[in-house]
Amino acid sequence: MSVEKKIIAKQLMESYFQSQVGGNMMQNRSIYNQKPGEIMVLYFISTNVKDDSPGLKVSEISGKLNVTPPTVTQHINSLEAQALVERHADPADRRVVRILLSDKGKKYIQRINEARLNMFVGLVKHLGEEESLLFAEMMRKASDYMLTQQEFYIRNFIVDETDEK
Amino acid sequence: MSVEKKIIAKQLMESYFQSQVGGNMMQNRSIYNQKPGEIMVLYFISTNVKDDSPGLKVSEISGKLNVTPPTVTQHINSLEAQALVERHADPADRRVVRILLSDKGKKYIQRINEARLNMFVGLVKHLGEEESLLFAEMMRKASDYMLTQQEFYIRNFIVDETDEK
DNA sequence: CACATATACTTTGGTTGCTTATTTAATTAG
DNA sequence: CTAATTAAATAAGCAACCAAAGTATATGTG
């Protein structure tokens, strides 16, 4: 394996972990007075539900947010109690629950999205427009890659372990 | 404000949040049979302690990992119980605790680092060498920027809130 | 049709990782 | 020598997750 690639990989790894630890800024409860996980759910619904849609299934949300269905149910429970989302039974399959933003929920997440977008506009100015687009693309590529490699990575590590004398 | 920048910012924001939710792959307990937070501490020590160093202070670790000192204390407690790290009193200031990896801890984290590095070498191949370097640089720039903007962002959002009629 | 199996979600109980507030011990300033 | 400060540890508690078990609905097979 190329030494060059290994050196680059090391740099990439360090930047990656460094940005992981510092990077949870916009997920601070004290800012929104709302739990970060719940905001993530609201955000995801707001970017994935069209106005005429019947709403998202719990399983769709959990799949895309990479968490288990119980976790989503709990977020939805809390958000529903605050009247930020609505649950509707799916007429075609009554096991399915369709989740929609309420008007209150729409306004709420819109305000957060605007504040966040302002921050990202600042970041675009800081990085440059072309570099920002490139950065966005690389984040997508990298997280897709990591998702595909996950299983392989685990298997490799475990084999490694059983090798141990 | 430029519409162009806003569109780019939106793309950047979407990629950013998408990579946040998918991206915690290498932090999976089941892989290492060890808590992710503790691995992060081991990793940080391994990359920041030279062989002749007296070890890191709790406050140094907590500062760089962006957590409070009690959090670090708890991780160190668990790691010490597993004999992966050692606590040493600092002779110059006996309030200070110096944290060092044990031999077992060194071997342990080295094995994890190798597996992780392999994954990142794969990522470098996937993205390309030049792009990987650029990506690493942009991650650094972006997380630095977000850290500096954090306070401003919070203030802005709260002002916004009090404006609400 | 009936019943076994599968699916979609919810409930329950527990773990991890973090926080704030407080305490203990050691150092430094007046 | 005392008062204030600093470093770390302890205590109590919350948020976000998961696995396992439970409930209700749907589907496939004889």
Side-chain angles (χ1 to χ4, degrees), chain A residues 155-165, chain B residues 111:
Chain A
R155 190 163 41 245
N156 245 24
F157 191 81
I158 289 168
V159 167
D160 220 52
E161 191 151 321
T162 52
D163 280 355
E164 214 90 338
K165 68 271 103 226
Chain B
R111 218 163 67 72

Side-chain angles (χ1 to χ4, degrees), chain A residues 4-99:
Chain A
E4 178 72 9
K5 279 201 180 61
K6 228 169 174 169
I7 292 170
I8 295 172
K10 197 158 192 171
Q11 282 190 50
L12 194 58
M13 180 162 92
E14 277 171 20
S15 295
Y16 176 79
F17 286 124
Q18 189 51 47
S19 75
Q20 292 281 93
V21 305
N24 38 340
M25 77 159 265
M26 275 168 315
Q27 318 241 3
N28 194 320
R29 185 201 166 97
S30 63
I31 306 177
Y32 307 118
N33 210 37
Q34 185 78 11
K35 296 168 205 163
E38 293 173 14
I39 296 189
M40 207 64 211
V41 171
L42 288 177
Y43 171 76
F44 180 72
I45 299 172
S46 77
T47 60
N48 286 280
V49 174
K50 281 141 192 117
D51 276 339
D52 57 341
S53 150
L56 293 173
K57 299 196 226 179
V58 169
S59 50
E60 288 169 344
I61 298 172
S62 80
K64 289 299 180 72
L65 292 186
N66 230 29
V67 295
T68 57
T71 302
V72 174
T73 292
Q74 285 166 19
H75 288 320
I76 300 294
N77 285 347
S78 167
L79 291 167
E80 193 184 26
Q82 298 170 75
L84 294 170
V85 303
E86 293 164 7
R87 276 187 167 101
H88 295 284
D90 186 319
D93 182 343
R94 302 202 343 192
R95 294 170 305 179
V96 170
V97 174
R98 296 283 173 181
I99 314 293

